[in-house]
Amino acid sequence: MTAKPIPKVRLQAQAKAGEIIEIKTLIAHEMESGQRKDVSGQIIPRKIINRFIAAFNGKPVFEAEWHPAISANPYQSFFFKAVESGEFTFTWKDDDGSEYVTVNKLTVA
Amino acid sequence: FAAQPARAAANDKYPEEAFKQKSEADAIKALYGKTAEPSDKVKLDAPEIAENGGVVPIAVTTTLDKVTSISFFVAENPNALAASYKIPDGTVPSVSNRLKMAKTTNVVAIVEADGKLYSATKEVKVTVGGCGG
């Protein structure tokens, strides 16, 4: 049993126009690679988050495809140039079809 | 005939073929349809030695212009392709994450800029493998 993955996003709430901000994300997820075997020698089926998408005001600004080589509790950081105020939507897509979504606001002064 | 970014053609489809490739050279070819040339404008940051192959921090940055995508490959992993990123306009071509590595191997970062591929390679020594078993 695993708990529902909880995404964590860290980014500054305010930025100056033109400033480059770093966005750090982390989500708790086992990222089962499909390579491991359990005690009886059966392969544990693959279950990973295969996609991570960051959108700003509805427009995709960063897209990642993840494969089984991504560590458990996947971390992702990237940089974004702040131009206007708005809202980030971060979406993680699981192999099982679930989506985990979180929203962060950014104010550009 | 403009040079199209190879990834744009693949659009949102999961890169099934690229993922299945065992070697990083084959995986790069399957993903992008071309080969990469090493470039000192691609900076790959990875540890010399990773005690735990399950969590190896990797970062890549580049000073190249018109970057459209970035990918990571781990040469000796069961499947070399580890992650690939789409970099739209306005997003800085710099990403970092954490990879699993089966054993001591080369990590290859590929940057697609202006339709061409550039690479950086670094060997990471792995003390304890991170691909299960």
Side-chain angles (χ1 to χ4, degrees):
Chain A
M1 278 296 286
T2 45
K4 187 183 182 310
I6 302 159
K8 279 186 199 161
V9 174
R10 185 170 268 193
L11 74 122
Q12 58 202 68
Q14 295 194 334
K16 291 190 203 92
E19 190 180 343
I20 289 170
I21 60 170
E22 183 175 19
I23 296 154
K24 295 176 175 173
T25 71
L26 188 70
I27 186 164
H29 193 281
E30 71 267 50
M31 296 294 275
E32 190 56 62
S33 68
Q35 302 279 348
R36 299 197 305 154
K37 290 176 179 153
D38 64 14
V39 280
S40 60
Q42 297 290 323
I43 285 181
I44 305 171
R46 166 184 145 152
K47 185 181 185 297
I48 67 166
I49 293 175
N50 56 50
R51 206 168 256 270
F52 166 71
I53 299 158
F56 187 70
N57 289 341
K59 188 172 160 268
V61 294
F62 184 78
E63 279 182 54
E65 260 161 25
W66 287 343
H67 300 289
I70 299 297
S71 299
N73 305 328
Y75 166 83
Q76 183 71 59
S77 89
F78 63 99
F79 293 85
F80 177 72
K81 192 172 176 186
V83 179
E84 51 179 357
S85 299
E87 211 172 56
F88 281 105
T89 311
F90 302 99
T91 311
W92 290 259
K93 293 187 180 178
D94 199 304
D95 272 350
D96 70 5
S98 323
E99 287 192 4
Y100 318 113
V101 180
T102 179
V103 170
N104 281 65
K105 279 196 165 58
L106 176 72
T107 308
V108 174
Chain B
F1 186 78
Q4 285 287 320
R7 294 285 294 129
N11 222 341
D12 272 355
K13 262 184 248 149
Y14 189 81
E16 206 64 61
E17 276 306 309
F19 173 68
K20 275 188 248 154
Q21 304 303 321
K22 300 285 182 199
S23 86
E24 86 278 15
D26 290 349
I28 292 165
K29 230 171 165 198
L31 186 62
Y32 290 103
K34 50 195 162 188
T35 50
E37 56 176 275
S39 167
D40 57 4
K41 287 182 176 164
V42 178
K43 197 171 161 286
L44 174 63
D45 197 8
E48 294 272 319
I49 298 173
E51 271 181 32
N52 178 1
V55 187
V56 184
I58 304 288
V60 64
T61 56
T62 177
T63 51
L64 291 160
D65 275 341
K66 296 187 193 164
V67 174
T68 47
S69 79
I70 293 177
S71 319
F72 291 128
F73 298 85
V74 183
E76 300 275 340
N77 266 8
N79 301 102
L81 178 58
S84 64
Y85 301 97
K86 265 189 225 168
I87 312 289
D89 273 350
T91 301
V92 183
S94 169
V95 293
S96 69
N97 70 1
R98 295 165 188 165
L99 301 181
K100 288 176 189 168
M101 295 176 59
K103 55 186 166 189
T104 298
T105 175
N106 280 340
V107 177
V108 184
I110 298 287
V111 172
E112 184 184 34
D114 206 9
K116 289 205 180 82
L117 296 186
Y118 302 91
S119 69
T121 304
K122 188 167 177 185
E123 192 193 50
V124 177
K125 292 192 168 64
V126 174
T127 320
V128 180
C131 278

